[in-house]
Amino acid sequence: ESGLNYIKIDYNENIGLGADGAESPGEGLRAHVEEVVRFFRALREEVPGLVMEICSSGGMRHDPVFLTLGSMVSFSDAHENADGAVVAIDLHRVMQPRTMQIWASILPEQSPDEVYFTMIKAMVGRICLSGKLLSVSEEVLGIVRAGVEYYFGIRDIVRDGETVLIDTDEIRSLRHPKGVARLARKSADGRRLLCYAFAYGVPERTVSFPAEGYVLRSSYGNAAAECDGREAKLVLGGKPLSAGVMLLERTEKKKEK
């Protein structure tokens, strides 16, 4: 009746040892979560078409039941940490990126390089702008605007595509990341390929992706992009944080007469 069509359910608290009222704290907790699930299902039934955002970090809701109930799940509380990019990439192993809401928290103290990194991190899933956008420079606003526009051109691949490469093996520590992480996602029709790379504190370095039969259509970030029809490359590094995303498209094969 009120026209409500979006709800954010936040719950930044650990589940603890359990809940009183049953034969054990564990059983009390199980019964409690069962009632939470029943409440969420009731919301779905009472408000058809409701877009429901479910918090994940404190609420521990990166699990199949809650992922089927929510329209999207906040990917992590690491939204102002550089390690959030690695977390977001690894989450492609367990959930659809269209349900993964990633915060791009833009702050006045961030350098342009950090803003590029933050925006591309958010493009790994469902981008959500946050921070202090009214207090940043015109240069940073330009980077953010360009990033949002770029995302509009690739969001169908995020929504409907297939992840074909997850590579975070080089990152040995989330608290002190160093090295390169990669992700690639192919469009539903297989014609376009989206390649991401993030570099943490490494010298200038070329990161390659298999790209036989593809050409470079566009790129965004503080990394140079190129494609020779066999490999696509992003030149990263040489600064504390650098990142790039590029869109490749398969070339048409000539039909035989």
Side-chain angles (χ1 to χ4, degrees):
E1 292 174 356
S2 65
L4 178 71
N5 55 26
Y6 178 92
I7 184 171
K8 172 181 172 66
I9 301 173
D10 213 332
Y11 188 57
N12 288 311
E13 182 58 68
N14 290 323
I15 57 176
L17 295 174
D20 295 331
E23 61 266 30
S24 70
E27 171 57 19
L29 180 61
R30 187 205 63 78
H32 167 74
V33 173
E34 191 174 76
E35 290 302 316
V36 173
V37 169
R38 185 177 301 176
F39 174 67
F40 283 8
R41 285 178 176 155
L43 284 175
R44 281 270 182 237
E45 293 170 2
E46 291 293 329
V47 190
L50 178 68
V51 175
M52 185 158 56
E53 176 197 338
I54 300 176
C55 180
S56 66
S57 301
M60 310 295 179
R61 289 170 183 165
H62 276 157
D63 68 87
V65 172
F66 282 105
L67 288 175
T68 58
L69 289 171
S71 311
M72 50 188 160
V73 179
S74 297
F75 86 115
S76 170
D77 278 343
H79 58 279
E80 292 184 359
N81 304 39
D83 53 20
V86 181
V87 174
I89 289 174
D90 278 336
L91 279 173
H92 275 239
R93 304 177 193 274
V94 297
M95 62 189 294
Q96 292 290 338
R98 64 174 174 267
T99 65
M100 189 194 315
Q101 186 186 44
I102 305 178
W103 296 87
S105 186
I106 310 300
L107 304 172
E109 58 268 27
Q110 290 173 335
S111 68
D113 289 333
E114 290 174 310
V115 175
Y116 274 123
F117 191 97
T118 299
M119 290 297 295
I120 296 172
K121 173 200 71 176
M123 294 182 194
V124 169
R126 195 164 179 166
I127 194 169
C128 179
L129 287 177
S130 180
K132 300 178 180 178
L133 286 166
L134 296 179
S135 303
V136 300
S137 67
E138 285 298 321
E139 179 185 10
V140 167
L141 279 178
I143 293 171
V144 172
R145 289 192 185 103
V148 172
E149 184 177 352
Y150 192 82
Y151 182 76
F152 285 162
I154 64 172
R155 60 183 172 179
D156 66 301
I157 304 177
V158 176
R159 182 186 64 226
D160 303 320
E162 175 188 3
T163 299
V164 294
L165 173 67
I166 300 174
D167 179 15
T168 58
D169 292 347
E170 195 173 312
I171 309 298
R172 310 304 296 176
S173 168
L174 282 177
R175 293 297 302 273
H176 307 284
K178 188 170 184 179
V180 169
R182 299 183 300 157
L183 178 78
R185 190 164 172 85
K186 189 178 291 187
S187 63
D189 61 7
R191 292 189 50 78
R192 289 172 297 153
L193 186 65
L194 198 55
C195 301
Y196 305 79
F198 301 86
Y200 297 87
V202 299
E204 186 173 295
R205 176 172 159 188
T206 299
V207 180
S208 300
F209 298 82
E212 185 73 34
Y214 285 91
V215 295
L216 177 64
R217 289 303 184 202
S218 62
S219 65
Y220 172 83
N222 58 351
E226 59 183 71
C227 181
D228 60 10
R230 297 184 303 276
E231 281 188 326
K233 300 175 182 179
L234 286 166
V235 181
L236 299 166
K239 51 190 69 177
L241 294 174
S242 57
V245 56
M246 56 184 168
L247 178 64
L248 311 175
E249 187 171 6
R250 188 175 292 281
T251 55
E252 292 285 353
K253 292 183 178 180
K254 293 183 179 180
K255 294 182 180 179
E256 297 183 2
K257 294 183 179 179

